[in-house]
Amino acid sequence: MADDRPADRTPAEESGADPDTRLHDEHGHLVLRSPEQFKALGHPLRHRVVNLLRHRPATLRQLAEALGMSKGTIGHHVRVLREAGLLRLAETRHVRGGTEQYFALVGRGFRLHRDAEVGAEFLVNAALGEMLPGGPGQASHTVLRHLWLTDAEAHALEARLRATADEPHPSEPGRGEAYGLLVSLFRADVPSLPPDDGR
């Protein structure tokens, strides 16, 4: 079925909806909750496009060059991200021989809605897709620990982890190198032994 909408318009824009009025948190992050959003972000190439656009708005040509892909391929994935409400057309510039469209994220970043069905699994998979092996002299630390906590202790630790993750850190793309911080406190499927009656 052919789509005869102009190439620079998404269904949300066709309906008159302003992409910038979607649900954002107090920090300007788009709050993710729809299956379309998670499906769009779940593709590794689209995830890389989003990470590039954290730097600044960019054209299809610039994205294709950075990712070593064709403009047609990048154009398809940008379209999917726009239709999911994750990207917007930031501006159009007239250049020799035509126009260039600059695409941008609809917010400063993304956060999961507390009722989102995917949750931690989505974030862990995203982190695994980004992880590079640590090189000599580079900062890197990954550890898995199991703790036995009461409800009160678990909630206190959760508050400490939230505070750590929310601390301000340098976030200017192009300054230094990119590092990921994945913080997770989760109920672990680790059984407990019954009491040892022989002791």
Side-chain angles (χ1 to χ4, degrees), residues 59 61 71 92-102:
T59 65
R61 178 185 55 79
K71 274 180 65 176
T92 301
R93 292 184 189 171
H94 295 284
V95 294
R96 185 175 53 197
T99 60
E100 283 193 322
Q101 296 178 326
Y102 282 76

Side-chain angles (χ1 to χ4, degrees), residues 1 8 11 21 58-59 86 96 104 136 169 171 174:
M1 181 182 212
D8 61 337
T21 62
T59 65
L86 304 172
R96 185 175 53 197
H169 294 284
S171 58

